Amino acid sequence: MADSFNSNRFWVALRSHLQDARKSMLRNFLIMLCYLLAMQLFFIIYLAMSNVYTYILEVTLTYSAATFIFVIVYGATYIMGPRKPARRTTFKELQATPLEKFCIRYIYVTVILALGFILAFVCADTLRMLLTGLIDGEYICGLPVLMNEMSHANTQPFDWMLLIFELGAFFFGHSVFILGGTLFPRYQFLLTSVCFCAFIALLAVLPINSYIDQVDKTGTVTGYVALVVFYLLAAFNYWCAYIRFSRVFGE
């Protein structure tokens, strides 16, 4: 029963949790909207003298993408649920198994947060376009520029293997912060960041490059090995996070 998953029960519990968190979601959306709009307007004013509007948008979108990664990683450390006692009690009393509760929180801190950021970006980009259009009469939307940059249409054909590799690296990093959110009761993001940086520093010290050179003489296997390792480590971290989560929210 503890590890069971019932789809009907899960969707009822998910709707209940999202309804309880609607004020938090609205607050997070407004914070992201104000930040993204302020950032876009700042770069437009700062770089306006260059008279290269597309370049301004590319710089803005680069920082927006970096902000998106930060928001998703930071949000992952809140996997253990609301901090306010009343909302935390409500979450604990949801008619759902620990596995279903874990999936609910994963969707909340990952999917819902990502959709909220995308919506905030679209709104901020639209407001920026309208404001700058009223000033100089040129309405340029940033979304086509964003899609163009993501697809690398200006430089090279779309590389699916590169996308899969980047997703593997992202999910590995995301799983580390999900796990950190379950291990540390306070300052989850800060402590997880310190541990993650220490792990990266350790990899830099260890003679891994020489070992890879011995394994891969042709330069064609290393990328695939790293890809598999990324996804396996991500799955292992998610599993460890669920074990820790289930001990706290187990029936």
Side-chain angles (χ1 to χ4, degrees), residues 24-246:
S24 297
M25 291 190 294
L26 178 60
R27 182 179 65 250
N28 294 335
F29 169 77
L30 292 176
I31 292 174
M32 291 186 292
L33 173 61
C34 293
Y35 172 81
L36 290 171
L37 180 59
M39 181 181 63
Q40 291 201 23
L41 294 178
F42 169 78
F43 278 107
I44 288 173
I45 296 173
Y46 183 74
L47 299 174
M49 296 183 65
S50 65
N51 295 323
V52 185
Y53 201 67
T54 302
Y55 171 72
I56 298 175
L57 286 178
E58 290 176 0
V59 173
T60 303
L61 294 172
T62 299
Y63 279 86
S64 298
T67 304
F68 175 77
I69 298 297
F70 172 80
V71 167
I72 295 301
V73 170
Y74 182 82
T77 58
Y78 284 85
I79 187 69
M80 293 300 284
R83 292 185 175 181
K84 292 184 178 180
R87 290 188 55 211
R88 191 171 182 85
T89 301
T90 301
F91 178 71
K92 284 186 176 181
E93 293 177 350
L94 283 177
Q95 298 300 313
T97 63
L99 177 59
E100 292 164 354
K101 291 179 180 178
F102 182 80
C103 293
I104 288 172
R105 286 303 300 175
Y106 186 89
I107 290 176
Y108 180 81
V109 302
T110 305
V111 179
I112 300 299
L113 191 59
L115 292 177
F117 185 93
I118 294 173
L119 180 60
F121 175 83
V122 171
C123 293
D125 184 70
T126 302
L127 291 174
R128 185 269 313 153
M129 180 180 64
L130 294 176
L131 289 174
T132 54
L134 291 175
I135 294 174
D136 58 15
E138 189 174 9
Y139 296 89
I140 300 180
C141 181
L143 290 178
V145 180
L146 175 63
M147 299 304 297
N148 193 48
E149 289 297 311
M150 290 179 61
S151 62
H152 306 286
N154 290 332
T155 58
Q156 57 187 7
F158 191 83
D159 190 343
W160 285 103
M161 284 303 302
L162 177 61
L163 175 62
I164 295 174
F165 184 86
E166 291 175 344
L167 287 176
F170 169 79
F171 280 117
F172 167 68
H174 185 259
S175 67
V176 169
F177 283 86
I178 286 283
L179 180 59
T182 63
L183 293 178
F184 302 114
R186 298 182 64 185
Y187 308 111
Q188 295 94 331
F189 178 76
L190 177 62
L191 295 177
T192 306
S193 298
V194 171
C195 294
F196 188 71
C197 291
F199 173 74
I200 297 299
L202 179 62
L203 291 181
V205 173
L206 294 176
I208 295 180
N209 289 334
S210 60
Y211 174 76
I212 292 178
D213 290 338
Q214 294 177 4
V215 175
D216 181 17
K217 297 295 184 180
T218 63
T220 58
V221 180
T222 303
Y224 293 99
V225 172
L227 179 64
V228 174
V229 169
F230 273 140
Y231 281 99
L232 288 179
L233 287 177
F236 177 75
N237 289 336
Y238 285 137
W239 179 77
C240 291
Y242 166 68
I243 296 300
R244 172 62 180 166
F245 183 93
S246 62

